[in-house]
Amino acid sequence: MKVFCLGAAGRISRESVLDLVEHSNFDKITIGDYNVEEAEKVAQWLDDARVDVVKADVNDVAGTAKLMEGYDVVMDGTQITLNGKSTECIAKAGCHGVNLNGFGDENQWDDLFVKAGKTCVPGFGMTPGTTQMMAMHLANQLDTVEEVYVSHGAFRPFAFSKSITETTTYEYDPELETRVVFEDGKFIQVPPFARPRKVKLPEPYGETVQYIIPHSETVTLAEALADKGVRLIEVRGTWPQQNMTLVRGLYDYGILKNPEVMVGDRPAKLMDIIGDYLVNSPEGKTTKLYGYSLHIEVIGTKDGKKKQGIIYHTHPASDGSVEGWEGLRAYTRNVGIPLAIAAELLAKGCAPRPGILIPEYAFQPEVIFRELEKRQIYMHEEWTDL
């Protein structure tokens, strides 16, 4: 089997490639990235004979698709704004594909995947991806589902890379139409910082206040759980407190609208300026606590009795006590590992049918959980009668 790792010079998806090196059965692992110099550094770090590097620019769709031809699967680690083009490349190359984000630009290429007999799963990292697996694991144990609350704490710096800065700006864009909740059969748009809710995460994170965010789980779970009568789905998230304080200030002052300002005699977008500063400053590149914490709550009925299921995950600490999970890597490995697991499952033909598939239809939760456990990422489940 062969895997093409698009954008794997990045801080997150290089962890996905490491996971492939350590756990997969791929015979060839190609890193395709626009930044060849950084990609070569990643290959040197991996130090595995199966790994090679090519230059890939998704803006050159025909050229990049040609590079991908003959690979079993493309593991796409590019940023949100490129996923429409990156998925076009994968579809035209005739490969299976999976990416981290899943914000919908991929859906237009469904016909090409079906025609090629290949499957593409948009959005399979920690969230989205693992979150849907956790929600479905609980929902599958119920006869009906009434409410689903998906929550996560992403404990990482505001701007450890430009793509992460872009994600931060995207999620809190005041005009974003996809920041929605699902309520009584309708998707309702909400503003940034809507519907605050206290969520107790396991230590060392503790109690957090989380707000509605624009993630694909709201849409995909509404589809997957329609036959169980789901009436409310809310997806929330938080970052370290200092990040949230900054974002709130940027929102309150209208800066997140990204207005154009003059810098000397040249126009520039204000959030772009701030992002450039943060990605090059200690304040933007560091935080006190690193890691990831998912918390899913599902309320429904079983045999006529109302029940609440909660599932959350834990992973090795970022304090250096476990090799390979130090500092920022406690965050980036959490995101990157599920992407690698999904890529290998697709390459092995485990998806039930071709086309663009939401995670809920592509994979069995327990299969994902078993693979995560091999990597020291554990699920914890609780049930309560209501």
Side-chain angles (χ1 to χ4, degrees):
M1 298 191 302
K2 298 195 299 182
V3 56
F4 192 96
C5 306
L6 186 64
R11 296 293 293 273
I12 289 175
S13 54
R14 70 177 60 183
E15 299 287 2
S16 307
V17 186
L18 173 63
D19 190 79
L20 296 177
V21 166
E22 292 181 336
H23 294 279
S24 79
N25 294 319
F26 285 107
D27 303 308
K28 184 173 183 177
I29 302 171
T30 298
I31 298 174
D33 203 288
Y34 184 78
N35 188 341
V36 175
E37 182 180 356
E38 192 65 24
E40 292 284 4
K41 291 179 183 177
V42 173
Q44 185 176 9
W45 169 62
L46 294 167
D47 190 24
D48 190 284
R50 294 172 294 168
V51 177
D52 66 346
V53 172
V54 298
K55 183 172 183 177
D57 179 0
V58 297
N59 292 300
D60 175 10
V61 173
T64 301
K66 186 70 175 176
L67 290 173
M68 295 173 175
E69 287 179 3
Y71 284 83
D72 296 280
V73 64
V74 176
M75 188 177 72
D76 180 4
T78 59
Q79 61 260 44
I80 293 170
T81 52
L82 293 178
N83 284 166
K85 285 187 176 180
S86 61
T87 305
E88 181 182 4
C89 296
I90 300 167
K92 290 182 175 179
C95 306
H96 294 299
V98 59
N99 71 32
L100 284 170
N101 303 306
F103 281 91
D105 288 344
E106 304 89 350
N107 296 337
Q108 61 187 304
W109 308 112
D110 179 66
D111 289 348
L112 289 181
F113 283 105
V114 172
K115 185 177 180 181
K118 303 295 182 180
T119 302
C120 179
V121 182
F124 208 91
M126 266 290 160
T127 173
T130 307
T131 42
Q132 284 107 317
M133 298 296 96
M134 295 165 75
M136 293 303 293
H137 174 74
L138 296 179
N140 288 341
Q141 299 176 64
L142 297 169
D143 299 325
T144 68
V145 172
E146 299 174 11
E147 303 170 28
V148 179
Y149 301 96
V150 175
S151 304
H152 77 272
F155 295 88
R156 47 79 166 170
F158 191 101
F160 68 80
S161 71
K162 286 189 175 181
S163 60
I164 284 293
T165 309
E166 180 182 280
T167 299
T168 305
T169 304
Y170 174 89
E171 290 192 0
Y172 282 84
D173 178 355
E175 306 301 323
L176 191 65
E177 295 181 358
T178 55
R179 187 186 304 102
V180 297
V181 298
F182 180 79
E183 194 165 14
D184 295 326
K186 298 179 180 179
F187 292 104
I188 302 170
Q189 185 182 11
V190 297
F193 297 98
R195 303 192 184 192
R197 190 172 195 247
K198 290 182 179 179
V199 180
K200 188 176 181 180
L201 303 176
E203 293 301 327
Y205 309 109
E207 187 172 85
T208 59
V209 177
Q210 302 195 13
Y211 306 91
I212 301 296
I213 55 172
H215 265 219
S216 59
E217 295 100 322
T218 310
V219 175
T220 63
L221 286 170
E223 178 182 343
L225 296 176
D227 63 342
K228 288 185 179 282
V230 66
R231 64 172 189 81
L232 178 66
I233 302 171
E234 295 181 340
V235 180
R236 291 178 173 82
T238 190
W239 297 309
Q241 185 56 53
Q242 67 268 32
N243 294 27
M244 299 304 295
T245 300
L246 173 58
V247 175
R248 183 76 208 213
L250 294 171
Y251 172 65
D252 288 342
Y253 278 84
I255 294 171
L256 282 178
K257 294 179 181 178
N258 205 13
E260 191 172 274
V261 297
M262 296 300 295
V263 180
D265 59 353
R266 296 184 178 183
K269 293 286 189 178
L270 186 51
M271 270 306 299
D272 295 345
I273 297 171
I274 293 172
D276 285 344
Y277 162 72
L278 289 170
V279 83
N280 289 292
S281 70
E283 293 82 1
K285 296 175 76 67
T286 58
T287 189
K288 294 179 181 178
L289 182 61
Y290 293 90
Y292 222 123
S293 186
L294 305 183
H295 182 283
I296 314 297
E297 177 184 347
V298 174
I299 296 173
T301 62
K302 177 66 175 178
D303 298 328
K305 296 180 180 180
K306 194 167 186 178
K307 292 182 173 289
Q308 174 200 56
I310 290 176
I311 187 169
Y312 61 93
H313 95 287
T314 57
H315 61 83
S318 64
D319 60 6
S321 58
V322 179
E323 185 179 356
W325 290 85
E326 306 89 349
L328 179 61
R329 293 192 68 195
Y331 169 81
T332 55
R333 293 196 80 175
N334 266 281
V335 184
I337 286 171
L339 181 66
I341 293 170
E344 185 170 23
L345 289 173
L346 288 172
K348 290 179 175 179
C350 293
R353 57 182 171 83
I356 301 284
L357 291 190
I358 60 176
E360 293 91 330
Y361 295 160
F363 306 119
Q364 294 297 316
E366 294 72 26
V367 173
I368 300 297
F369 296 169
R370 284 195 296 270
E371 291 300 320
L372 290 173
E373 188 169 337
K374 295 175 184 177
R375 282 85 160 169
Q376 304 180 77
I377 297 174
Y378 302 101
M379 296 294 162
H380 308 269
E381 184 177 349
E382 303 170 357
W383 285 95
T384 304
D385 292 331
L386 299 178

